Amino acid sequence: MTGDRFGSGLAYLYEGASMLFTAPTARRVVAGALGASALAGAALFGVAPMASAQPLPPNCTAADFAGVAAGVSAASSAYLFTHPDVNAFFTGLHGKPRDEIKSDVIGYMDRNPQIAAEMTGIRQPLIDIKNRCGFAGLGNPDSPAA
């Protein structure tokens, strides 16, 4: 997790923040993310055990990963809907260059440590399953393995 200033994975916020546009686009993004998570989980679990010949820890199936990812996505959506100011900030990132999004999100989180802590807490189950199941680099842009 090198370079992640928020310790538990808020890097995903600036990576996906530019995708918070209209409802149809958001639905496509969520569906795509869940599909990609399921495919990544299936690929990871379909190949990794054969290569390592070690059994997976309990609750480390592709379905487990997809379920956790769906829960984090739903919790993130609920948080944004119940915090209109935060939702407005992330929605306002639409159309900005990726580097500007990253610096804006870092600045916003630095100015709003409570929001950073709450959003980190929402994402924590995804971080936990990634670490517990041995694929901590998957989906974390700050990880050397990503």
Side-chain angles (χ1 to χ4, degrees):
M1 284 240 241
T2 59
D4 187 349
R5 295 181 55 180
F6 302 104
S8 295
L10 280 181
Y12 81 101
L13 291 173
Y14 66 78
E15 291 297 319
S18 64
M19 293 186 219
L20 298 173
F21 320 131
T22 64
T25 302
R27 282 191 295 272
R28 279 186 232 119
V29 169
V30 169
L34 293 177
S37 295
L39 288 175
L44 185 77
F45 293 112
V47 176
M50 286 185 262
S52 68
Q54 294 187 13
L56 290 172
N59 303 317
C60 285
T61 67
D64 293 315
F65 182 78
V68 171
V72 168
S73 181
S76 297
S77 175
Y79 182 86
L80 292 171
F81 275 120
T82 58
H83 295 81
D85 53 329
V86 181
N87 194 18
F89 168 76
F90 282 103
T91 302
L93 297 173
H94 171 67
K96 291 186 175 185
R98 188 178 210 109
D99 289 343
E100 189 175 337
I101 291 170
K102 181 177 180 176
S103 66
D104 286 356
V105 170
I106 289 171
Y108 184 80
M109 294 300 170
D110 284 347
R111 292 186 305 277
N112 297 283
Q114 180 67 35
I115 292 168
E118 290 167 352
M119 294 189 85
T120 297
I122 290 169
R123 182 160 164 79
Q124 193 60 48
L126 194 55
I127 301 300
D128 292 344
I129 195 170
K130 287 178 179 182
N131 290 334
R132 182 173 44 81
C133 296
F135 49 98
L138 184 63
N140 183 354
D142 290 331
S143 172

